[in-house]
């Protein structure tokens, strides 16, 4: 924990070190005291600077600090596309294929360091191997969503992010983000391919369609209109027609699962409730080769917070709901990102098992298992 707090305070090479442990140095001190007293949260930037006392020199030494700084330095030389000349050994002659990877690759914009590495802009990488010719090739490109392109052109942070990065250059700082609930899609969590489509994925938005040859951003993927495209991933609870008229949409999981036994890909879409504490979820199954939709199973989870992941068996979809609650006020007021507004409840986790079409449990009601 000491090392992680130190790493969270790491600065870019050449930037000025600051003592982030003393809130008395902040011009926002009176506002911070009021917000902590009333809402239990400080503005994102100030909260990051109040991580605690300085770590010991044994933990946060120059070697460790340099390693963390290098690990979370923005990628250079992007886009790239070249033959790999230095190959140790020999590529097996029968080995031919392509591997795609995706993850955060840019951690600042216009001199503003992102508050968390998971707010980093998605960087797609591709390795292509051809054992018959002994060649290997590498390519990379940032996922150039409209939000990314706009921030690149302005050279500043323009959008709010899940882990607390947000515009903070105005006279009111983070408070200028009040009531702006639209989050940037960094497209930085996963990359998957099925049905001839390459998709860059993030937890709380539609997938980003990617050209596999150029790695260029093509657009938001709705699977032929299956997933509603809207600015907010919220459900009114009235009906899809009302949601569409209000500009509401859904998000798609960053972790679809492959069922190799059946040759399928299984993923789920979700929308947070406008009121109440029931999350609208629909689980979809596609043929992995053709991309044809095979099944859609709507259900509801007893939580207003979307789970991170899910599991798949022959008969069940399994969701694990963490014991957490969301305090919306700090987020709505622009003081923090959604993650900064989460609090643990101290209760046990909840498992929800949803019957899978065609499985032994088909036709049954979902099961809920509560742990202590």
């Amino acid at each position: 924990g000491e090392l992680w707090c130190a790493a969270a305070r790491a600065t870019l090479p050449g930037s000025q070190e600051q003592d982030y442990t003393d809130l008395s140095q902040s011009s926002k001190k009176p506002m911070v005291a009021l917000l902590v007293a009333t809402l239990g949260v400080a503005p994102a930037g100030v909260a990051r600077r109040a991580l605690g006392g300085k770590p010991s020199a044994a933990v946060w030494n120059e070697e460790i600090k340099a390693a963390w700084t290098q690990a979370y330095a923005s990628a250079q030389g992007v886009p790239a596309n070249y033959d790999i000349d230095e190959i140790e050994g020999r590529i097996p002659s029968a080995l031919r294929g392509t591997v795609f990877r995706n993850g955060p690759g840019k951690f600042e914009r216009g001199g503003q360091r992102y508050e968390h590495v998971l707010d980093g802009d998605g960087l797609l990488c591709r390795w292509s191997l051809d054992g018959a010719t002994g060649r290997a090739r590498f390519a990379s490109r940032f996922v150039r969503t409209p939000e990314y392109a706009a921030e690149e052109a302005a050279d500043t942070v323009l959008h709010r992010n899940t882990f607390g990065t947000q515009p903070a250059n105005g006279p009111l700082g983070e408070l200028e983000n009040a009531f702006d609930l639209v989050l940037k899609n960094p497209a930085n969590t996963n990359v998957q391919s099925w049905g001839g489509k390459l998709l860059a994925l993030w937890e709380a938005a539609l997938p980003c369609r990617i050209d596999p040859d150029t790695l260029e951003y093509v657009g938001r993927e709705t699977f032929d209109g299956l997933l509603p495209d809207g600015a907010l991933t919220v459900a009114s609870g009235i009906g899809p027609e009302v949601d569409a008229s209000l500009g509401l949409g859904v998000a798609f999981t960053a972790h679809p699962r492959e069922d190799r036994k059946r040759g399928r890909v299984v993923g789920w879409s979700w929308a947070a409730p406008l009121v109440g504490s029931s999350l609208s979820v629909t689980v979809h199954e596609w043929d992995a080769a053709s991309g044809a939709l095979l099944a859609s199973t709507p259900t509801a989870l007893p939580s207003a917070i979307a789970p991170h992941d899910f599991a798949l068996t022959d008969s069940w979809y399994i969701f694990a709901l963490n014991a957490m609650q969301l305090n919306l006020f700090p987020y709505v007021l622009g003081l923090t990102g959604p993650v900064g507004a989460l609090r643990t409840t101290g209760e046990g986790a909840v498992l929800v098992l949803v019957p899978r079409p065609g499985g032994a449990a088909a036709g049954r009601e979902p099961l809920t298992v509560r742990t202590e």
Side-chain angles (χ1 to χ4, degrees), residues 11-25:
T11 56
L12 290 173
S15 62
Q16 182 179 1
E17 281 283 353
Q18 300 181 43
D19 183 0
Y20 291 146
T21 64
D22 185 3
L23 286 181
S24 66
Q25 299 179 10

Side-chain angles (χ1 to χ4, degrees), residues 269-315:
S269 58
W270 62 272
L274 190 61
V275 293
S277 58
S278 180
L279 191 77
S280 299
V281 169
T282 303
V283 187
H284 308 282
E285 300 201 15
W286 290 271
D287 180 83
S290 68
L293 180 67
L294 302 176
S296 290
T297 303
T299 189
L301 302 180
S303 171
I305 304 171
H308 174 77
D309 202 349
F310 82 125
L312 179 69
T313 74
D314 287 342
S315 300

Side-chain angles (χ1 to χ4, degrees), residues 100-124:
F100 294 93
R101 286 291 182 265
N102 186 18
K106 184 173 182 59
F107 306 105
E108 74 284 331
R109 177 70 73 185
Q112 180 180 343
R113 180 73 170 176
Y114 292 173
E115 295 293 331
H116 195 286
V117 295
L118 294 183
D119 283 340
D121 297 301
L123 175 64
L124 287 168

Side-chain angles (χ1 to χ4, degrees), residues 299-347:
T299 189
L301 302 180
S303 171
I305 304 171
H308 174 77
D309 202 349
F310 82 125
L312 179 69
T313 74
D314 287 342
S315 300
W316 302 93
Y317 309 123
I318 305 172
F319 295 90
L321 308 180
N322 293 321
M324 305 191 77
Q325 61 185 14
L326 179 64
N327 180 8
L328 276 175
F329 291 106
Y331 172 51
V332 171
L333 293 179
L335 306 179
T336 185
V339 169
L342 289 174
R343 296 292 182 270
T344 58
T345 65
E347 300 174 351

Side-chain angles (χ1 to χ4, degrees), residues 54-109:
K54 293 182 179 179
S56 65
V59 170
W60 193 234
N61 56 51
E62 292 303 316
E63 180 182 0
I64 294 296
K65 185 174 181 179
W68 277 87
T69 300
Q70 180 180 5
Y72 295 115
S74 295
Q76 303 298 314
V78 181
N81 194 348
Y82 57 84
D83 287 324
I84 301 175
D85 297 325
E86 297 182 12
I87 300 177
E88 295 184 8
R90 186 180 67 177
I91 302 174
S93 59
L95 180 60
R96 184 174 185 270
T98 300
V99 175
F100 294 93
R101 286 291 182 265
N102 186 18
K106 184 173 182 59
F107 306 105
E108 74 284 331
R109 177 70 73 185

Side-chain angles (χ1 to χ4, degrees), residues 150-236:
E151 291 188 335
E152 182 180 54
D155 194 27
T156 190
V157 173
L158 299 174
H159 306 279
R160 300 187 70 183
N161 288 260
T162 301
F163 288 84
T165 304
Q166 55 190 13
N169 296 323
L172 296 179
E174 285 91 350
L175 289 176
E176 295 200 3
N177 299 300
F179 305 106
D180 177 8
L181 306 183
V182 179
L183 293 173
K184 173 185 173 182
N185 177 6
N188 65 5
T189 308
N190 199 358
V191 58
Q192 293 284 333
S193 177
W194 73 89
K197 297 178 179 179
L198 182 67
L199 305 174
L201 302 167
W202 178 60
E203 312 285 353
L206 292 180
C208 294
R209 179 84 175 267
I210 303 297
D211 185 315
D213 296 322
T214 65
L215 298 184
E216 292 180 348
Y217 172 81
V218 176
R220 290 189 291 269
E221 178 60 48
T222 66
F223 300 104
D224 299 321
L226 175 68
L227 306 182
D229 185 1
L232 292 173
T233 55
V234 173
S236 66

